[in-house]
Amino acid sequence: MAEIIDGKKCAAGIRAEVARRVEALSSKGVTPGLAAVLIGDDPASRYYVRSKEKACGEVGIYSEVIRRDAGTSQSELLQLVDDLNANPKIDGILVQSPLPEGLDETEVTLRIDPGKDVDGFHPYNIGALSLGLPALAPCTPAGIIEMLIFAKVDTQGKEVVVVGRSNIVGRPVAGLLSLKGPRGNATVTLCHSRTKNIESVCRRADILIAAIGRPEFITAEFVKPGAAVIDVGVNRVEDSSRKSGYRLTGDVDFDAVEKVAGYISPVPGGVGPMTIAMLLSNTVTIAEHRASK
Ligand code: NAP
């Protein structure tokens, strides 16, 4: 049976470290600040923003949530970003996605000051990261790297297969793991919906990362015995036995894969808590930079 990689426990360690860094900053008179912009009333987005706000409060990060209705125009949203770019109390800016139809997410990302781009989505940070230069790493990929370190899964010379090539998870985590250095040095294959013989490609992996958005896509047949399997997916599937009528499941068939893999991260309680922990860590990194000026 696979060892479970407990994302909550790993995230608790990161948050404790973040709290210590916040304290050290406070002795220099600096309080890290995070602003979240929430447009519209998508229930999942509201939930994510509330969780981020609560997490900030727990470690002593100042947080502001700017809520606007779905009728907000592109120019109003850009003005909001400009104001936050200029606000000295705000270190990190995040604009919760998805934005309501009609708003251009790319233009908004480009408008965020790269130095305050706490999600690490700005092309400046993506470019710097891919060159191995200091940059704000996107939170989910950075969290996956921390989970591998926490579980003592070495990446040096390992075969890594990432399924999913999104700009926020698949592509950056593949980039980070292929960088030269102690947290990388892996041989990385990036799969997507056009990949041929995906099952046999995945079975080569010492470390398999699933970021697809398809419930239980990765079955035991995809997994080499002893491999480390990181499940990024968060999917709602109908479940009449639950009061809510649904349950959350990952991209990995946990019950079957747990019997084959050496390590596995659960959903929920795996990558999700790490994403928020890394958001806090990125906010403090920006504030530390401000304090050092
Ligand atoms: P995305 O933008 O929806 O992209 C999905 C990727 O999966 C695409 O590259 C797509 O290939 C690939 N794909 C889809 N069907 C496939 C198939 N049958 N075979 C092989 N590849 C296939 O994904 P995302 O934003 O990265 O999100 C992925 C999942 O992670 C979602 O469930 C999301 O909710 C979850 N997520 C979780 C966290 C967290 O903190 N836990 C954070 C972010 C995302 P093509 O490019 O060819 O279309």
Side-chain angles (χ1 to χ4, degrees), residues 119-121 129 136-149 162 166-177 183 209 211 230 232 271 274-275 278 282:
D119 268 331
F121 293 164
L129 203 73
L136 291 161
C139 303
T140 304
I144 294 170
I145 305 281
E146 292 295 337
M147 282 174 95
L148 292 172
I149 294 169
V162 179
S166 73
N167 291 336
I168 61 168
V169 187
R171 198 172 288 284
V173 79
L176 285 172
L177 287 165
R183 297 170 152 223
I209 299 171
I230 304 289
V232 184
V271 174
M274 290 304 296
T275 298
M278 299 318 290
N282 273 355

PDB file of all heavy atoms in Angstrom, residues 119-121 129 136-149 162 166-177 183 209 211 230 232 271 274-275 278 282:
ATOM      1  N   ASP A 119       0.359  35.161  -7.803  1.00  0.00           N
ATOM      2  CA  ASP A 119      -0.011  33.875  -8.412  1.00  0.00           C
ATOM      3  C   ASP A 119       1.065  33.367  -9.370  1.00  0.00           C
ATOM      4  O   ASP A 119       1.007  32.217  -9.813  1.00  0.00           O
ATOM      5  CB  ASP A 119      -1.328  34.028  -9.200  1.00  0.00           C
ATOM      6  CG  ASP A 119      -2.558  33.700  -8.359  1.00  0.00           C
ATOM      7  OD1 ASP A 119      -2.427  32.868  -7.443  1.00  0.00           O
ATOM      8  OD2 ASP A 119      -3.629  34.266  -8.624  1.00  0.00           O
ATOM      9  N   GLY A 120       2.017  34.232  -9.713  1.00  0.00           N
ATOM     10  CA  GLY A 120       3.083  33.831 -10.642  1.00  0.00           C
ATOM     11  C   GLY A 120       2.574  33.561 -12.053  1.00  0.00           C
ATOM     12  O   GLY A 120       3.126  32.717 -12.753  1.00  0.00           O
ATOM     13  N   PHE A 121       1.552  34.297 -12.484  1.00  0.00           N
ATOM     14  CA  PHE A 121       0.971  34.071 -13.822  1.00  0.00           C
ATOM     15  C   PHE A 121       1.470  35.066 -14.867  1.00  0.00           C
ATOM     16  O   PHE A 121       1.206  34.924 -16.044  1.00  0.00           O
ATOM     17  CB  PHE A 121      -0.571  34.185 -13.770  1.00  0.00           C
ATOM     18  CG  PHE A 121      -1.246  33.092 -12.976  1.00  0.00           C
ATOM     19  CD1 PHE A 121      -2.576  33.245 -12.573  1.00  0.00           C
ATOM     20  CD2 PHE A 121      -0.593  31.920 -12.638  1.00  0.00           C
ATOM     21  CE1 PHE A 121      -3.219  32.247 -11.851  1.00  0.00           C
ATOM     22  CE2 PHE A 121      -1.226  30.918 -11.909  1.00  0.00           C
ATOM     23  CZ  PHE A 121      -2.540  31.079 -11.519  1.00  0.00           C
ATOM     24  N   LEU A 129      11.235  32.290 -14.419  1.00  0.00           N
ATOM     25  CA  LEU A 129      11.239  30.959 -13.812  1.00  0.00           C
ATOM     26  C   LEU A 129      11.799  29.920 -14.781  1.00  0.00           C
ATOM     27  O   LEU A 129      12.589  29.052 -14.397  1.00  0.00           O
ATOM     28  CB  LEU A 129       9.787  30.595 -13.459  1.00  0.00           C
ATOM     29  CG  LEU A 129       9.601  29.563 -12.381  1.00  0.00           C
ATOM     30  CD1 LEU A 129       9.922  30.153 -11.022  1.00  0.00           C
ATOM     31  CD2 LEU A 129       8.160  29.067 -12.387  1.00  0.00           C
ATOM     32  N   LEU A 136       8.563  34.694  -8.849  1.00  0.00           N
ATOM     33  CA  LEU A 136       7.441  34.164  -8.076  1.00  0.00           C
ATOM     34  C   LEU A 136       6.883  32.957  -8.833  1.00  0.00           C
ATOM     35  O   LEU A 136       6.429  33.095  -9.967  1.00  0.00           O
ATOM     36  CB  LEU A 136       6.376  35.251  -7.923  1.00  0.00           C
ATOM     37  CG  LEU A 136       6.806  36.407  -7.028  1.00  0.00           C
ATOM     38  CD1 LEU A 136       5.962  37.648  -7.271  1.00  0.00           C
ATOM     39  CD2 LEU A 136       6.759  36.002  -5.561  1.00  0.00           C
ATOM     40  N   ALA A 137       6.943  31.776  -8.216  1.00  0.00           N
ATOM     41  CA  ALA A 137       6.477  30.560  -8.884  1.00  0.00           C
ATOM     42  C   ALA A 137       4.980  30.414  -8.671  1.00  0.00           C
ATOM     43  O   ALA A 137       4.476  30.727  -7.590  1.00  0.00           O
ATOM     44  CB  ALA A 137       7.198  29.346  -8.322  1.00  0.00           C
ATOM     45  N   PRO A 138       4.245  29.937  -9.677  1.00  0.00           N
ATOM     46  CA  PRO A 138       2.816  29.698  -9.467  1.00  0.00           C
ATOM     47  C   PRO A 138       2.594  28.742  -8.279  1.00  0.00           C
ATOM     48  O   PRO A 138       3.391  27.830  -8.044  1.00  0.00           O
ATOM     49  CB  PRO A 138       2.341  29.061 -10.773  1.00  0.00           C
ATOM     50  CG  PRO A 138       3.451  29.146 -11.728  1.00  0.00           C
ATOM     51  CD  PRO A 138       4.698  29.544 -11.003  1.00  0.00           C
ATOM     52  N   CYS A 139       1.527  29.007  -7.529  1.00  0.00           N
ATOM     53  CA  CYS A 139       1.372  28.379  -6.206  1.00  0.00           C
ATOM     54  C   CYS A 139       1.194  26.861  -6.265  1.00  0.00           C
ATOM     55  O   CYS A 139       1.788  26.133  -5.459  1.00  0.00           O
ATOM     56  CB  CYS A 139       0.190  29.014  -5.480  1.00  0.00           C
ATOM     57  SG  CYS A 139       0.402  30.790  -5.315  1.00  0.00           S
ATOM     58  N   THR A 140       0.393  26.356  -7.203  1.00  0.00           N
ATOM     59  CA  THR A 140       0.152  24.902  -7.225  1.00  0.00           C
ATOM     60  C   THR A 140       1.433  24.142  -7.604  1.00  0.00           C
ATOM     61  O   THR A 140       1.826  23.210  -6.885  1.00  0.00           O
ATOM     62  CB  THR A 140      -1.027  24.561  -8.161  1.00  0.00           C
ATOM     63  OG1 THR A 140      -2.171  25.304  -7.716  1.00  0.00           O
ATOM     64  CG2 THR A 140      -1.360  23.091  -8.147  1.00  0.00           C
ATOM     65  N   PRO A 141       2.137  24.519  -8.681  1.00  0.00           N
ATOM     66  CA  PRO A 141       3.393  23.835  -8.979  1.00  0.00           C
ATOM     67  C   PRO A 141       4.414  23.932  -7.838  1.00  0.00           C
ATOM     68  O   PRO A 141       5.074  22.946  -7.495  1.00  0.00           O
ATOM     69  CB  PRO A 141       3.907  24.561 -10.234  1.00  0.00           C
ATOM     70  CG  PRO A 141       2.674  25.085 -10.870  1.00  0.00           C
ATOM     71  CD  PRO A 141       1.757  25.457  -9.749  1.00  0.00           C
ATOM     72  N   ALA A 142       4.521  25.120  -7.228  1.00  0.00           N
ATOM     73  CA  ALA A 142       5.472  25.266  -6.108  1.00  0.00           C
ATOM     74  C   ALA A 142       5.063  24.339  -4.961  1.00  0.00           C
ATOM     75  O   ALA A 142       5.917  23.727  -4.304  1.00  0.00           O
ATOM     76  CB  ALA A 142       5.503  26.718  -5.634  1.00  0.00           C
ATOM     77  N   GLY A 143       3.766  24.204  -4.740  1.00  0.00           N
ATOM     78  CA  GLY A 143       3.265  23.320  -3.678  1.00  0.00           C
ATOM     79  C   GLY A 143       3.577  21.857  -3.969  1.00  0.00           C
ATOM     80  O   GLY A 143       3.906  21.096  -3.052  1.00  0.00           O
ATOM     81  N   ILE A 144       3.499  21.469  -5.230  1.00  0.00           N
ATOM     82  CA  ILE A 144       3.807  20.073  -5.602  1.00  0.00           C
ATOM     83  C   ILE A 144       5.273  19.769  -5.300  1.00  0.00           C
ATOM     84  O   ILE A 144       5.614  18.722  -4.750  1.00  0.00           O
ATOM     85  CB  ILE A 144       3.486  19.829  -7.094  1.00  0.00           C
ATOM     86  CG1 ILE A 144       1.971  19.953  -7.324  1.00  0.00           C
ATOM     87  CG2 ILE A 144       4.002  18.466  -7.561  1.00  0.00           C
ATOM     88  CD1 ILE A 144       1.549  19.980  -8.791  1.00  0.00           C
ATOM     89  N   ILE A 145       6.156  20.711  -5.631  1.00  0.00           N
ATOM     90  CA  ILE A 145       7.594  20.517  -5.352  1.00  0.00           C
ATOM     91  C   ILE A 145       7.803  20.350  -3.837  1.00  0.00           C
ATOM     92  O   ILE A 145       8.521  19.455  -3.393  1.00  0.00           O
ATOM     93  CB  ILE A 145       8.435  21.722  -5.857  1.00  0.00           C
ATOM     94  CG1 ILE A 145       8.185  22.000  -7.341  1.00  0.00           C
ATOM     95  CG2 ILE A 145       9.921  21.556  -5.537  1.00  0.00           C
ATOM     96  CD1 ILE A 145       8.865  21.131  -8.324  1.00  0.00           C
ATOM     97  N   GLU A 146       7.137  21.196  -3.048  1.00  0.00           N
ATOM     98  CA  GLU A 146       7.280  21.102  -1.581  1.00  0.00           C
ATOM     99  C   GLU A 146       6.764  19.749  -1.071  1.00  0.00           C
ATOM    100  O   GLU A 146       7.336  19.173  -0.150  1.00  0.00           O
ATOM    101  CB  GLU A 146       6.519  22.238  -0.879  1.00  0.00           C
ATOM    102  CG  GLU A 146       7.104  23.620  -1.100  1.00  0.00           C
ATOM    103  CD  GLU A 146       8.504  23.794  -0.503  1.00  0.00           C
ATOM    104  OE1 GLU A 146       8.865  23.049   0.420  1.00  0.00           O
ATOM    105  OE2 GLU A 146       9.235  24.674  -0.988  1.00  0.00           O
ATOM    106  N   MET A 147       5.685  19.258  -1.664  1.00  0.00           N
ATOM    107  CA  MET A 147       5.139  17.956  -1.224  1.00  0.00           C
ATOM    108  C   MET A 147       6.111  16.821  -1.502  1.00  0.00           C
ATOM    109  O   MET A 147       6.234  15.894  -0.711  1.00  0.00           O
ATOM    110  CB  MET A 147       3.841  17.648  -1.986  1.00  0.00           C
ATOM    111  CG  MET A 147       2.658  18.391  -1.483  1.00  0.00           C
ATOM    112  SD  MET A 147       1.258  18.093  -2.567  1.00  0.00           S
ATOM    113  CE  MET A 147       0.477  16.762  -1.695  1.00  0.00           C
ATOM    114  N   LEU A 148       6.812  16.896  -2.641  1.00  0.00           N
ATOM    115  CA  LEU A 148       7.784  15.843  -2.971  1.00  0.00           C
ATOM    116  C   LEU A 148       8.940  15.883  -1.974  1.00  0.00           C
ATOM    117  O   LEU A 148       9.408  14.841  -1.509  1.00  0.00           O
ATOM    118  CB  LEU A 148       8.291  16.011  -4.416  1.00  0.00           C
ATOM    119  CG  LEU A 148       7.242  15.757  -5.514  1.00  0.00           C
ATOM    120  CD1 LEU A 148       7.781  16.135  -6.889  1.00  0.00           C
ATOM    121  CD2 LEU A 148       6.796  14.292  -5.516  1.00  0.00           C
ATOM    122  N   ILE A 149       9.365  17.097  -1.618  1.00  0.00           N
ATOM    123  CA  ILE A 149      10.456  17.230  -0.636  1.00  0.00           C
ATOM    124  C   ILE A 149       9.991  16.673   0.712  1.00  0.00           C
ATOM    125  O   ILE A 149      10.699  15.908   1.367  1.00  0.00           O
ATOM    126  CB  ILE A 149      10.887  18.712  -0.510  1.00  0.00           C
ATOM    127  CG1 ILE A 149      11.508  19.185  -1.826  1.00  0.00           C
ATOM    128  CG2 ILE A 149      11.857  18.917   0.664  1.00  0.00           C
ATOM    129  CD1 ILE A 149      11.727  20.687  -1.915  1.00  0.00           C
ATOM    130  N   VAL A 162       3.959  14.361 -16.547  1.00  0.00           N
ATOM    131  CA  VAL A 162       2.907  15.293 -16.131  1.00  0.00           C
ATOM    132  C   VAL A 162       1.778  15.146 -17.149  1.00  0.00           C
ATOM    133  O   VAL A 162       2.019  15.229 -18.354  1.00  0.00           O
ATOM    134  CB  VAL A 162       3.425  16.757 -16.133  1.00  0.00           C
ATOM    135  CG1 VAL A 162       2.323  17.717 -15.714  1.00  0.00           C
ATOM    136  CG2 VAL A 162       4.653  16.907 -15.223  1.00  0.00           C
ATOM    137  N   SER A 166      -1.747  22.863 -18.754  1.00  0.00           N
ATOM    138  CA  SER A 166      -2.270  24.217 -18.509  1.00  0.00           C
ATOM    139  C   SER A 166      -1.131  25.148 -18.108  1.00  0.00           C
ATOM    140  O   SER A 166      -0.084  24.704 -17.615  1.00  0.00           O
ATOM    141  CB  SER A 166      -3.322  24.188 -17.399  1.00  0.00           C
ATOM    142  OG  SER A 166      -2.705  23.991 -16.146  1.00  0.00           O
ATOM    143  N   ASN A 167      -1.384  26.457 -18.310  1.00  0.00           N
ATOM    144  CA  ASN A 167      -0.366  27.455 -17.942  1.00  0.00           C
ATOM    145  C   ASN A 167      -0.210  27.594 -16.436  1.00  0.00           C
ATOM    146  O   ASN A 167       0.786  28.122 -15.963  1.00  0.00           O
ATOM    147  CB  ASN A 167      -0.738  28.823 -18.523  1.00  0.00           C
ATOM    148  CG  ASN A 167      -0.605  28.833 -20.024  1.00  0.00           C
ATOM    149  OD1 ASN A 167       0.145  28.039 -20.594  1.00  0.00           O
ATOM    150  ND2 ASN A 167      -1.349  29.714 -20.676  1.00  0.00           N
ATOM    151  N   ILE A 168      -1.230  27.140 -15.679  1.00  0.00           N
ATOM    152  CA  ILE A 168      -1.151  27.353 -14.226  1.00  0.00           C
ATOM    153  C   ILE A 168      -0.638  26.134 -13.467  1.00  0.00           C
ATOM    154  O   ILE A 168      -0.178  26.265 -12.347  1.00  0.00           O
ATOM    155  CB  ILE A 168      -2.499  27.837 -13.628  1.00  0.00           C
ATOM    156  CG1 ILE A 168      -3.612  26.812 -13.834  1.00  0.00           C
ATOM    157  CG2 ILE A 168      -2.902  29.176 -14.202  1.00  0.00           C
ATOM    158  CD1 ILE A 168      -4.868  27.124 -13.018  1.00  0.00           C
ATOM    159  N   VAL A 169      -0.718  24.939 -14.071  1.00  0.00           N
ATOM    160  CA  VAL A 169      -0.229  23.746 -13.363  1.00  0.00           C
ATOM    161  C   VAL A 169       0.752  22.939 -14.223  1.00  0.00           C
ATOM    162  O   VAL A 169       1.954  22.897 -13.939  1.00  0.00           O
ATOM    163  CB  VAL A 169      -1.387  22.819 -12.902  1.00  0.00           C
ATOM    164  CG1 VAL A 169      -0.817  21.698 -12.025  1.00  0.00           C
ATOM    165  CG2 VAL A 169      -2.475  23.559 -12.150  1.00  0.00           C
ATOM    166  N   GLY A 170       0.254  22.280 -15.248  1.00  0.00           N
ATOM    167  CA  GLY A 170       1.058  21.286 -15.969  1.00  0.00           C
ATOM    168  C   GLY A 170       2.366  21.824 -16.521  1.00  0.00           C
ATOM    169  O   GLY A 170       3.449  21.297 -16.247  1.00  0.00           O
ATOM    170  N   ARG A 171       2.249  22.916 -17.285  1.00  0.00           N
ATOM    171  CA  ARG A 171       3.454  23.452 -17.947  1.00  0.00           C
ATOM    172  C   ARG A 171       4.487  23.966 -16.915  1.00  0.00           C
ATOM    173  O   ARG A 171       5.660  23.582 -16.981  1.00  0.00           O
ATOM    174  CB  ARG A 171       3.029  24.547 -18.925  1.00  0.00           C
ATOM    175  CG  ARG A 171       4.016  24.919 -19.960  1.00  0.00           C
ATOM    176  CD  ARG A 171       3.398  25.873 -20.963  1.00  0.00           C
ATOM    177  NE  ARG A 171       2.442  25.197 -21.830  1.00  0.00           N
ATOM    178  CZ  ARG A 171       2.802  24.404 -22.846  1.00  0.00           C
ATOM    179  NH1 ARG A 171       4.076  24.202 -23.107  1.00  0.00           N
ATOM    180  NH2 ARG A 171       1.898  23.816 -23.586  1.00  0.00           N
ATOM    181  N   PRO A 172       4.063  24.786 -15.933  1.00  0.00           N
ATOM    182  CA  PRO A 172       5.090  25.251 -14.979  1.00  0.00           C
ATOM    183  C   PRO A 172       5.673  24.145 -14.097  1.00  0.00           C
ATOM    184  O   PRO A 172       6.865  24.195 -13.798  1.00  0.00           O
ATOM    185  CB  PRO A 172       4.370  26.317 -14.139  1.00  0.00           C
ATOM    186  CG  PRO A 172       2.923  26.180 -14.430  1.00  0.00           C
ATOM    187  CD  PRO A 172       2.797  25.532 -15.767  1.00  0.00           C
ATOM    188  N   VAL A 173       4.876  23.145 -13.708  1.00  0.00           N
ATOM    189  CA  VAL A 173       5.473  22.103 -12.849  1.00  0.00           C
ATOM    190  C   VAL A 173       6.468  21.283 -13.669  1.00  0.00           C
ATOM    191  O   VAL A 173       7.532  20.881 -13.162  1.00  0.00           O
ATOM    192  CB  VAL A 173       4.410  21.227 -12.130  1.00  0.00           C
ATOM    193  CG1 VAL A 173       3.804  20.168 -13.009  1.00  0.00           C
ATOM    194  CG2 VAL A 173       5.017  20.571 -10.895  1.00  0.00           C
ATOM    195  N   ALA A 174       6.151  21.058 -14.959  1.00  0.00           N
ATOM    196  CA  ALA A 174       7.102  20.348 -15.824  1.00  0.00           C
ATOM    197  C   ALA A 174       8.391  21.162 -15.954  1.00  0.00           C
ATOM    198  O   ALA A 174       9.498  20.617 -15.889  1.00  0.00           O
ATOM    199  CB  ALA A 174       6.467  20.114 -17.199  1.00  0.00           C
ATOM    200  N   GLY A 175       8.245  22.481 -16.095  1.00  0.00           N
ATOM    201  CA  GLY A 175       9.416  23.357 -16.209  1.00  0.00           C
ATOM    202  C   GLY A 175      10.264  23.324 -14.948  1.00  0.00           C
ATOM    203  O   GLY A 175      11.493  23.171 -15.018  1.00  0.00           O
ATOM    204  N   LEU A 176       9.619  23.440 -13.794  1.00  0.00           N
ATOM    205  CA  LEU A 176      10.372  23.460 -12.525  1.00  0.00           C
ATOM    206  C   LEU A 176      11.141  22.157 -12.329  1.00  0.00           C
ATOM    207  O   LEU A 176      12.304  22.165 -11.916  1.00  0.00           O
ATOM    208  CB  LEU A 176       9.413  23.658 -11.343  1.00  0.00           C
ATOM    209  CG  LEU A 176       8.848  25.068 -11.144  1.00  0.00           C
ATOM    210  CD1 LEU A 176       7.760  25.066 -10.070  1.00  0.00           C
ATOM    211  CD2 LEU A 176       9.950  26.051 -10.756  1.00  0.00           C
ATOM    212  N   LEU A 177      10.488  21.026 -12.618  1.00  0.00           N
ATOM    213  CA  LEU A 177      11.135  19.739 -12.357  1.00  0.00           C
ATOM    214  C   LEU A 177      12.268  19.436 -13.338  1.00  0.00           C
ATOM    215  O   LEU A 177      13.132  18.613 -13.056  1.00  0.00           O
ATOM    216  CB  LEU A 177      10.093  18.615 -12.374  1.00  0.00           C
ATOM    217  CG  LEU A 177       9.193  18.614 -11.134  1.00  0.00           C
ATOM    218  CD1 LEU A 177       7.966  17.748 -11.345  1.00  0.00           C
ATOM    219  CD2 LEU A 177       9.970  18.148  -9.899  1.00  0.00           C
ATOM    220  N   ARG A 183      16.078  20.652  -6.648  1.00  0.00           N
ATOM    221  CA  ARG A 183      14.637  20.394  -6.654  1.00  0.00           C
ATOM    222  C   ARG A 183      14.159  19.957  -8.038  1.00  0.00           C
ATOM    223  O   ARG A 183      12.969  19.804  -8.265  1.00  0.00           O
ATOM    224  CB  ARG A 183      13.880  21.663  -6.238  1.00  0.00           C
ATOM    225  CG  ARG A 183      14.212  22.085  -4.835  1.00  0.00           C
ATOM    226  CD  ARG A 183      13.650  23.441  -4.520  1.00  0.00           C
ATOM    227  NE  ARG A 183      13.403  23.534  -3.101  1.00  0.00           N
ATOM    228  CZ  ARG A 183      12.326  24.067  -2.565  1.00  0.00           C
ATOM    229  NH1 ARG A 183      11.390  24.584  -3.319  1.00  0.00           N
ATOM    230  NH2 ARG A 183      12.171  24.099  -1.268  1.00  0.00           N
ATOM    231  N   ILE A 209       2.272  13.039 -12.287  1.00  0.00           N
ATOM    232  CA  ILE A 209       1.494  14.190 -11.813  1.00  0.00           C
ATOM    233  C   ILE A 209       0.277  14.345 -12.718  1.00  0.00           C
ATOM    234  O   ILE A 209       0.413  14.511 -13.934  1.00  0.00           O
ATOM    235  CB  ILE A 209       2.359  15.472 -11.812  1.00  0.00           C
ATOM    236  CG1 ILE A 209       3.557  15.267 -10.869  1.00  0.00           C
ATOM    237  CG2 ILE A 209       1.526  16.695 -11.394  1.00  0.00           C
ATOM    238  CD1 ILE A 209       4.610  16.355 -10.932  1.00  0.00           C
ATOM    239  N   ALA A 211      -2.927  16.488 -13.751  1.00  0.00           N
ATOM    240  CA  ALA A 211      -3.611  17.788 -13.689  1.00  0.00           C
ATOM    241  C   ALA A 211      -4.490  17.895 -14.933  1.00  0.00           C
ATOM    242  O   ALA A 211      -4.169  18.610 -15.876  1.00  0.00           O
ATOM    243  CB  ALA A 211      -2.602  18.925 -13.618  1.00  0.00           C
ATOM    244  N   ILE A 230       0.995  12.203  -7.772  1.00  0.00           N
ATOM    245  CA  ILE A 230       0.459  13.462  -7.230  1.00  0.00           C
ATOM    246  C   ILE A 230      -0.807  13.811  -8.009  1.00  0.00           C
ATOM    247  O   ILE A 230      -0.772  13.968  -9.228  1.00  0.00           O
ATOM    248  CB  ILE A 230       1.486  14.620  -7.382  1.00  0.00           C
ATOM    249  CG1 ILE A 230       2.822  14.280  -6.724  1.00  0.00           C
ATOM    250  CG2 ILE A 230       0.896  15.926  -6.839  1.00  0.00           C
ATOM    251  CD1 ILE A 230       2.838  14.253  -5.223  1.00  0.00           C
ATOM    252  N   VAL A 232      -3.617  16.379  -8.785  1.00  0.00           N
ATOM    253  CA  VAL A 232      -3.954  17.810  -8.699  1.00  0.00           C
ATOM    254  C   VAL A 232      -5.458  18.037  -8.913  1.00  0.00           C
ATOM    255  O   VAL A 232      -6.025  19.010  -8.430  1.00  0.00           O
ATOM    256  CB  VAL A 232      -3.148  18.618  -9.751  1.00  0.00           C
ATOM    257  CG1 VAL A 232      -3.400  20.114  -9.611  1.00  0.00           C
ATOM    258  CG2 VAL A 232      -1.654  18.338  -9.628  1.00  0.00           C
ATOM    259  N   VAL A 271      -2.966  18.345  -2.737  1.00  0.00           N
ATOM    260  CA  VAL A 271      -2.395  19.551  -3.359  1.00  0.00           C
ATOM    261  C   VAL A 271      -3.144  20.827  -2.941  1.00  0.00           C
ATOM    262  O   VAL A 271      -2.533  21.891  -2.797  1.00  0.00           O
ATOM    263  CB  VAL A 271      -2.374  19.383  -4.905  1.00  0.00           C
ATOM    264  CG1 VAL A 271      -1.920  20.663  -5.583  1.00  0.00           C
ATOM    265  CG2 VAL A 271      -1.478  18.218  -5.306  1.00  0.00           C
ATOM    266  N   MET A 274      -1.826  22.870  -0.152  1.00  0.00           N
ATOM    267  CA  MET A 274      -0.488  23.368  -0.493  1.00  0.00           C
ATOM    268  C   MET A 274      -0.563  24.633  -1.339  1.00  0.00           C
ATOM    269  O   MET A 274       0.271  25.525  -1.223  1.00  0.00           O
ATOM    270  CB  MET A 274       0.290  22.295  -1.266  1.00  0.00           C
ATOM    271  CG  MET A 274       0.681  21.115  -0.433  1.00  0.00           C
ATOM    272  SD  MET A 274       1.625  21.592   1.006  1.00  0.00           S
ATOM    273  CE  MET A 274       3.084  22.280   0.259  1.00  0.00           C
ATOM    274  N   THR A 275      -1.574  24.705  -2.205  1.00  0.00           N
ATOM    275  CA  THR A 275      -1.713  25.879  -3.075  1.00  0.00           C
ATOM    276  C   THR A 275      -1.898  27.131  -2.222  1.00  0.00           C
ATOM    277  O   THR A 275      -1.254  28.163  -2.451  1.00  0.00           O
ATOM    278  CB  THR A 275      -2.902  25.672  -4.044  1.00  0.00           C
ATOM    279  OG1 THR A 275      -2.619  24.536  -4.855  1.00  0.00           O
ATOM    280  CG2 THR A 275      -3.127  26.877  -4.933  1.00  0.00           C
ATOM    281  N   MET A 278       1.329  28.091  -0.338  1.00  0.00           N
ATOM    282  CA  MET A 278       2.334  28.736  -1.187  1.00  0.00           C
ATOM    283  C   MET A 278       1.931  30.165  -1.553  1.00  0.00           C
ATOM    284  O   MET A 278       2.785  31.028  -1.763  1.00  0.00           O
ATOM    285  CB  MET A 278       2.599  27.909  -2.461  1.00  0.00           C
ATOM    286  CG  MET A 278       3.142  26.515  -2.201  1.00  0.00           C
ATOM    287  SD  MET A 278       4.403  26.373  -0.918  1.00  0.00           S
ATOM    288  CE  MET A 278       5.781  27.183  -1.701  1.00  0.00           C
ATOM    289  N   ASN A 282       4.378  33.174  -0.974  1.00  0.00           N
ATOM    290  CA  ASN A 282       4.719  34.159  -2.016  1.00  0.00           C
ATOM    291  C   ASN A 282       4.448  35.588  -1.540  1.00  0.00           C
ATOM    292  O   ASN A 282       5.235  36.500  -1.813  1.00  0.00           O
ATOM    293  CB  ASN A 282       3.895  33.894  -3.289  1.00  0.00           C
ATOM    294  CG  ASN A 282       4.551  32.876  -4.215  1.00  0.00           C
ATOM    295  OD1 ASN A 282       5.654  32.424  -3.969  1.00  0.00           O
ATOM    296  ND2 ASN A 282       3.853  32.511  -5.274  1.00  0.00           N
TER     297      ASN A 282
END
